[in-house]
Structure formats: C-alpha cells, structure tokens
Amino acid sequence: MNTARGEAVTDTGRVMRDENPLRSPFREIRAVRERADGPWPGLLVRTASGVVGVLVDAQVLGQHWKGWDAAPSGHVLAPIDLARTAAGGHDVLLPVCAERLEDFVRRRGARSALPPGEAVTLGVSVLRGCAQILGTPPVTGDWWLDDSGRPVLATDASPQSAVAAAAAVLGVAVVDPVLQQAWDTAVRALGAGRVTSRDLIDVEELLFAAAEPEPLSTISLSPRPAVDVAPDLRATALQVHHAAPRPLWQSLIGSVDADLADTVSRATTAVWRRMRTPTRSRRAPLLVGGAVAASVLVGGALWPSAGGVAGVG
C-alpha cells in the first residue's frame, strides 16, 4: 500500500517481511469504488509475483464475513491473502470482481441468447455457489463475475438474500430453447421456500444433460446498430475531409472503439488462460475464464464493439 507496509501474512498464517523496508509488497494501480467497481471499496494492486487483486480493509468485511471460510476454488468469494497494515490492522487481498453478474447476463441477453454451453456454466456455477452456503443461517450477498470469468457470490456485500439474488440472475438470462425447460426448473428450485442440496444436484444434472459447459465469453464484439453509429460516422467523415491522408491501417484503427487495446489485451490473456487450463471432469469445480477465438485478434478485432469489455464503465 505504501512504504510503511513492509510485511504480509500468508493464508497459512506465516508473516512474510519484505527485506527492503523501502519496497512495498504491492504495486498500487487504482482505487476501487464500492458497487461501481466491486462489492467493497478498496485498492487494485499487483503483487511481486504478478497476481492482481483488490485490497479491502478487513474491518469492512467484518469478523463474521462468510468468505473467511470459503474454498478458494469455489463460487463464494474467498481471500487470496492477508496484508498487515502500518497501523496494526489487516487488509484482505481479494480476486478482482469485474462486473455484477446480473449486469453481465442482461448485457449478453440484449443481443442474443446465451449459447447452451455458456448457459450451463452460468447455471451450474450459481447452483454450486448456493450449495456452498446451504446449512448456514440465511446468507445475504451479491453475485459478481471475477476477472477470470468465474461467477462468484460476494457474501454480505448487500442485504438481499444470496439465493434470491441467484434466482434473479438466472431469471433474467436469455437461453437457447434446448435449455429452457431445465433452466426454468433451476429458477423454480432457487425460488422455492426451502432449497435443498438434493434439488440443486438434480437441476445441475438436467443442465449437464442438455449441453456441455463452455467458458463464459466476457467480451462483446457485436456490430452496433446503424442508428447508434451514424452520428459518429458523420463526424468522422468531416474530420477525414479536412485531415491529411493517413495510411490504411491507421484509418481502420481510428474507426474502432477506444477500448480496442484493452479488449485485445483481455482477449489474449483469456486465450492464454484457457490453454493452460487442464481438461477436467465436468464434475470438478468449473473454471470459467473467458475464451476468444483467434479470429478476434485478426479481422474480428476491428469490428465496432457494442458492450465493451466486462467490468469497464
């Protein structure tokens, strides 16, 4: 955080002290705003090993935060590490939450139905997150999509019921007709007065029977409607008329959304992550990093972007 922050506490409880008191264990990137950028206010940082996360004051999360005991590989948001502050308190290093899950689902549904494989990943992730909190007192929270494309429940981040929020997320999703019956069953199961693990397992099996899971694609490169881009095209035409001639590649790049560089960066990272993810049984916890075809990096990257990159704006 600052030059006074010279030690960190690992998840095993061992304190790691920086040998150089002038070097911070974290490189600050930017502030994170509550709700707008993530579930809680904090600071986006990069560790010495290259891990990017959000530092949140442990007091903001509270002693009884449900995430303390959550499995890191599950779908309930859990700490990556702890860092001791100069004042004697602690900051919690959390995964980056890129976008509220309901916002992501609505954005994807505005153009077309989720492909069956992506819908299965979304549905099973939410069902498993709910299964993680069954058997405990009623849990509240908000559902987010982390920067690897994994749906996670940020417990205690809002006063709404976590299970009711899950039902709301699935309820607004637009899915392929091949999945509709299983999907409706999942929504009904989460909306029931008493949700049981058996119900969730049964619905999960229905979803798996309908399609094989695929990673969630968090990048939208759909063309915008002509009515949306017409004013921009007229303005661009006037600028080109009075501007000096430019090489063709510069003209093409100039007509692409300003977020292209960030989109390409995220796309390449997503492809790298998927290539490194080993093949697993569908019964294993889902790893749902966003995947982008190679064509995105060639011709497709020059298409105007309608939704931008998940978590931006």
Side-chain angles (χ1 to χ4, degrees):
M1 292 286 289
N2 52 50
T3 55
R5 193 187 300 281
E7 57 186 18
V9 183
T10 69
D11 53 7
T12 61
R14 182 171 61 86
V15 177
M16 299 185 300
R17 288 179 174 80
D18 196 334
E19 296 298 330
N20 182 354
L22 298 180
R23 186 173 70 244
S24 168
F26 302 103
R27 177 184 175 186
E28 300 180 11
I29 300 176
R30 63 173 175 84
V32 173
R33 301 166 297 170
E34 183 176 12
R35 297 288 295 174
D37 301 324
W40 303 280
L43 187 66
L44 186 67
V45 298
R46 184 187 301 275
T47 69
S49 62
V51 175
V52 176
V54 177
L55 283 176
V56 176
D57 190 333
Q59 292 187 348
V60 172
L61 300 174
Q63 181 180 358
H64 302 292
W65 178 51
K66 304 298 187 302
W68 291 125
D69 299 323
S73 60
H75 293 280
V76 174
L77 196 65
I80 299 172
D81 213 335
L82 297 178
R84 184 169 294 169
T85 67
H90 290 86
D91 284 338
V92 183
L93 185 64
L94 297 174
V96 177
C97 288
E99 184 177 18
R100 289 183 67 247
L101 189 56
E102 185 171 339
D103 293 341
F104 164 78
V105 171
R106 289 184 182 277
R107 176 166 61 82
R108 289 292 305 275
R111 292 291 180 182
S112 61
L114 277 173
E118 290 189 54
V120 169
T121 293
L122 170 65
V124 172
S125 297
V126 169
L127 291 171
R128 291 186 176 182
C130 290
Q132 284 184 250
I133 60 174
L134 289 182
T136 63
V139 177
T140 61
D142 225 350
W143 290 86
W144 286 75
L145 196 68
D146 74 9
D147 62 345
S148 70
R150 177 178 57 134
V152 290
L153 170 63
T155 57
D156 307 305
S158 79
Q160 66 179 335
S161 161
V163 174
V169 168
L170 299 192
V172 300
V174 180
V175 299
D176 190 277
V178 71
L179 268 180
Q180 195 63 60
Q181 184 175 356
W183 200 262
D184 292 342
T185 303
V187 175
R188 287 196 300 270
L190 292 175
R194 181 173 178 270
V195 180
T196 67
S197 58
R198 181 70 260 172
D199 293 336
L200 299 183
I201 291 173
D202 289 344
V203 176
E204 182 177 311
E205 292 293 338
L206 287 176
L207 292 174
F208 277 134
E212 288 293 324
E214 296 178 358
L216 293 176
S217 175
T218 60
I219 298 175
S220 174
L221 294 173
S222 301
R224 288 178 292 179
V227 67
D228 293 342
V229 300
D232 295 336
L233 292 177
R234 286 194 294 270
T236 301
L238 290 175
Q239 293 175 2
V240 170
H241 178 72
H242 297 290
R246 295 187 300 169
L248 175 61
W249 71 269
Q250 289 187 2
S251 300
L252 289 173
I253 293 297
S255 67
V256 179
D257 284 358
D259 288 338
L260 174 62
D262 190 39
T263 298
V264 172
S265 174
R266 287 174 181 257
T268 55
T269 300
V271 171
W272 176 83
R273 281 178 176 150
R274 188 174 185 187
M275 290 177 65
R276 286 176 57 90
T277 302
T279 303
R280 300 189 178 191
S281 164
R282 66 185 186 182
R283 296 295 178 266
L286 298 179
L287 298 178
V288 287
V292 180
S295 59
V296 167
L297 303 181
V298 188
L302 298 178
W303 298 351
S305 172
V309 180
V312 176

